[in-house]
Amino acid sequence: MKKTLLLASAACLLSLNAQAAECMDPRPYVGLDYSYVDAGMKKINGTKWFESKFNTGSANVGLNLNRYFGVEAFYQLSQNKTKRVGESKGKMKFDAYGLDLMGYMPVYEKLDLVGTLGLAEYKFKGNRMHPAGQDKYKKDGIGIRMGGGLQYNFTDHIALRALARYNWVDVSKVNHIAEFSAGLRYTF
């Protein structure tokens, strides 16, 4: 009886060790995304001087800690947008970098629901050229990012991800940032 209990205990410990190894299988990845961003710029002196819709690109580096959880660092850069108001012209661009916590929930064979929560530093730069001269705009602040979407895993190494995010930002003259992105990931 004692031998049976000893063998059963050893088998349980070995299976737990195998399950723990499966749960803690960190895998690094890299990715590129295109995003459409609405920055919700506020009016200045009753006029909306700056364009609030941007096309952006971002590079990502991440680590899937297991099948359900990961972390991802990113750098995002927008195009320089110009808006004309009468004889004046306003130019604006932004860049951001930060860290997101990623949650994955398998819903079908190769399809995952993805949830994100993170922090980012946003830096907006612009200027307004008008007949009386030029005004510069340079603001930065922290944003809390939250979003969700889908990821389709073509293989163990290549995935396509689409996300929608909402960002609460601490930047004057910016209400919020709504972002819709799509991109590829390569997992090593």
Side-chain angles (χ1 to χ4, degrees):
M1 181 72 163
K2 290 181 184 179
K3 289 181 184 178
T4 306
L5 286 175
L6 182 61
L7 287 173
S9 299
C12 286
L13 286 175
L14 288 174
S15 70
L16 285 175
N17 191 24
Q19 288 176 350
E22 183 180 313
C23 287
M24 294 304 291
D25 183 22
R27 297 181 63 200
Y29 65 87
V30 295
L32 293 173
D33 288 335
Y34 160 79
S35 297
Y36 175 77
V37 174
D38 183 350
M41 302 296 289
K42 293 180 182 176
K43 293 181 178 180
I44 301 173
N45 298 328
T47 303
K48 192 170 180 181
W49 291 104
F50 300 114
E51 181 62 50
S52 62
K53 295 173 177 39
F54 299 91
N55 293 306
T56 72
S58 64
N60 310 285
V61 177
L63 183 65
N64 288 329
L65 299 172
N66 59 38
R67 176 70 178 99
Y68 305 100
F69 183 72
V71 294
E72 180 175 289
F74 73 93
Y75 176 75
Q76 182 176 24
L77 183 63
S78 80
Q79 71 185 119
N80 197 359
K81 292 288 287 223
T82 301
K83 181 176 181 178
R84 293 195 176 277
V85 179
E87 294 182 27
S88 301
K89 179 170 63 170
K91 287 187 176 184
M92 179 64 69
K93 67 179 179 176
F94 78 91
D95 65 334
Y97 59 90
L99 187 70
D100 291 322
L101 300 176
M102 311 295 293
Y104 305 96
M105 185 173 87
V107 292
Y108 192 64
E109 290 176 12
K110 296 184 175 197
L111 186 66
D112 296 338
L113 281 176
V114 179
T116 72
L117 179 64
L119 286 174
E121 171 80 16
Y122 290 90
K123 297 182 179 190
F124 285 82
K125 294 178 188 172
N127 60 40
R128 184 173 57 120
M129 294 163 275
H130 47 86
Q134 180 176 335
D135 300 324
K136 294 201 181 270
Y137 176 85
K138 186 176 180 181
K139 301 289 181 184
D140 57 71
I142 299 291
I144 298 172
R145 302 160 39 98
M146 186 170 69
L150 296 171
Q151 178 170 300
Y152 186 79
N153 303 300
F154 292 104
T155 68
D156 285 343
H157 300 286
I158 298 173
L160 176 66
R161 182 188 293 169
L163 292 174
R165 278 195 181 94
Y166 190 84
N167 305 295
W168 294 271
V169 292
D170 183 25
V171 178
S172 69
K173 306 300 182 207
V174 179
N175 284 330
H176 63 272
I177 296 176
E179 178 180 338
F180 305 94
S181 66
L184 289 171
R185 301 288 179 279
Y186 181 81
T187 303
F188 297 95

